[in-house]
Amino acid sequence: MSPNEDRKIKEKFKHKTWNEVKTNDSWAIFKIMAEFVEGYEKLSKIGPCVSIFGSARLRPGHEYYELAERTAYKLSQNGYGVVTGGGPGIMEAGNKGAHRGKGVSVGLNIELPFEQHDNPWIDKDKNLDFDYFFVRKVMFVKYSQGFVVMPGGFGTLDEMFEALTLIQTKKIGAFPIILVGTEFWSGLLDWVKDTLLKKFSSISETDLDLISLVDTEDEVIDVINEFYKKYSLSPNF
């Protein structure tokens, strides 16, 4: 464990004086507020967009990096902007594909101890930096009309389940959640069906209807377009 991690743990058990609460915890509210205000002001103007989630560790040449880039390119060609976490890997591929397709390319970056840095394919006026994960996640779900989930790690799972939970509880609209990669996602989906649904009944069968499982960029576009067609919407408006 690093000294910084050790310090963070010990601080949670430290008794704080009232002055420390006022100067540290209370004033953090204004920093949080500033991140929300900047996010709302910039993202309210981007138009219909689809979020692409996925691993920061998959580099150019990897099959899913290339698939993410092709998917983002086709999304932009169909009139959709692309929102990613703004970093390397799948996020870079998403922004690169949107940029190549001359579409809206948004990056919601966050400072992390490793892996994360801005990629060069984000529109200059649509690159936002966050210190707080929860503010960043609000921006993802508030300004996206679909979620494309590529293979990834804990962060990708967190973002996917956040979107699922908000849709399940009707806090946001039932926008498409598209998992890309049968080989990667089938084990998790089997566990969800066998354990959450059948064994423990902790979800409803209709909750599974929120998820589409695909393998190609064309299938992603078909799911998104079908959703817009269902509601007589156009991505260009």
Side-chain angles (χ1 to χ4, degrees), residues 37-90:
V37 170
E38 182 183 15
Y40 289 161
E41 287 184 346
K42 285 190 176 182
L43 298 180
S44 62
K45 306 170 185 175
I46 62 175
C49 282
V50 174
S51 284
I52 295 181
F53 302 139
S55 174
R57 304 187 186 193
L58 303 184
R59 302 306 182 194
H62 192 283
E63 61 175 311
Y64 283 112
Y65 181 104
E66 304 302 327
L67 178 55
E69 183 181 343
R70 295 195 305 270
T71 300
Y73 174 79
K74 286 209 166 185
L75 283 168
S76 67
Q77 292 294 290
N78 279 264
Y80 307 98
V82 170
V83 181
T84 81
I90 294 296

Side-chain angles (χ1 to χ4, degrees), residues 192-202:
V192 168
K193 293 172 185 176
D194 294 338
T195 302
L196 298 187
L197 178 61
K198 294 179 181 178
K199 188 173 182 179
F200 287 93
S201 300
S202 54

Side-chain angles (χ1 to χ4, degrees), residues 17-155:
T17 67
W18 174 238
N19 284 334
E20 286 176 318
V21 171
K22 286 193 297 183
T23 56
N24 295 322
D25 297 356
S26 298
W27 283 99
I29 293 171
F30 295 99
K31 192 170 189 300
I32 294 167
M33 187 186 302
E35 290 196 358
F36 274 117
V37 170
E38 182 183 15
Y40 289 161
E41 287 184 346
K42 285 190 176 182
L43 298 180
S44 62
K45 306 170 185 175
I46 62 175
C49 282
V50 174
S51 284
I52 295 181
F53 302 139
S55 174
R57 304 187 186 193
L58 303 184
R59 302 306 182 194
H62 192 283
E63 61 175 311
Y64 283 112
Y65 181 104
E66 304 302 327
L67 178 55
E69 183 181 343
R70 295 195 305 270
T71 300
Y73 174 79
K74 286 209 166 185
L75 283 168
S76 67
Q77 292 294 290
N78 279 264
Y80 307 98
V82 170
V83 181
T84 81
I90 294 296
M91 296 173 281
E92 176 184 288
N95 290 126
K96 185 177 181 181
H99 179 82
R100 183 162 62 88
K102 300 186 181 344
V104 173
S105 181
V106 181
L108 308 181
N109 214 319
I110 191 161
E111 184 178 344
L112 296 176
F114 53 89
E115 294 176 352
Q116 190 79 0
H117 56 78
D118 291 357
N119 71 67
W121 306 105
I122 305 167
D123 295 343
K124 289 183 178 180
D125 61 336
K126 297 177 180 66
N127 188 9
L128 288 83
D129 291 303
F130 297 91
D131 283 328
Y132 299 96
F133 264 113
F134 65 89
V135 179
R136 182 177 181 244
K137 287 201 291 184
V138 168
M139 300 306 154
F140 271 125
V141 298
K142 184 174 177 62
Y143 294 105
S144 295
Q145 287 80 45
F147 305 93
V148 175
V149 192
M150 308 292 294
F154 289 151

Side-chain angles (χ1 to χ4, degrees), residues 100-232:
R100 183 162 62 88
K102 300 186 181 344
V104 173
S105 181
V106 181
L108 308 181
N109 214 319
I110 191 161
E111 184 178 344
L112 296 176
F114 53 89
E115 294 176 352
Q116 190 79 0
H117 56 78
D118 291 357
N119 71 67
W121 306 105
I122 305 167
D123 295 343
K124 289 183 178 180
D125 61 336
K126 297 177 180 66
N127 188 9
L128 288 83
D129 291 303
F130 297 91
D131 283 328
Y132 299 96
F133 264 113
F134 65 89
V135 179
R136 182 177 181 244
K137 287 201 291 184
V138 168
M139 300 306 154
F140 271 125
V141 298
K142 184 174 177 62
Y143 294 105
S144 295
Q145 287 80 45
F147 305 93
V148 175
V149 192
M150 308 292 294
F154 289 151
T156 301
L157 293 174
D158 176 48
E159 290 159 344
M160 178 190 73
F161 281 116
E162 175 85 9
L164 274 170
T165 300
L166 291 171
I167 292 172
Q168 180 202 45
T169 56
K170 304 187 185 305
K171 295 298 183 181
I172 63 172
F175 296 113
I177 295 179
I178 307 166
L179 308 188
V180 183
T182 301
E183 180 184 13
F184 184 87
W185 293 108
S186 58
L188 175 63
L189 290 179
D190 287 343
W191 175 79
V192 168
K193 293 172 185 176
D194 294 338
T195 302
L196 298 187
L197 178 61
K198 294 179 181 178
K199 188 173 182 179
F200 287 93
S201 300
S202 54
I203 62 170
S204 301
E205 191 163 0
T206 53
D207 292 334
L208 298 176
D209 297 336
L210 301 174
I211 302 170
S212 299
L213 180 62
V214 306
D215 284 299
T216 69
E217 63 270 30
D218 288 335
E219 290 175 298
V220 172
I221 301 303
D222 287 345
V223 173
I224 297 287
N225 282 340
E226 184 61 30
F227 171 80
Y228 273 78
K229 181 180 178 181
K230 176 182 177 180
Y231 291 97
S232 301

Side-chain angles (χ1 to χ4, degrees), residues 6-16 25:
D6 188 56
R7 177 185 58 78
K8 287 181 178 180
I9 291 173
K10 289 180 178 179
E11 280 184 351
K12 290 296 181 181
F13 291 89
K14 178 184 175 183
H15 176 73
K16 293 182 179 180
D25 297 356

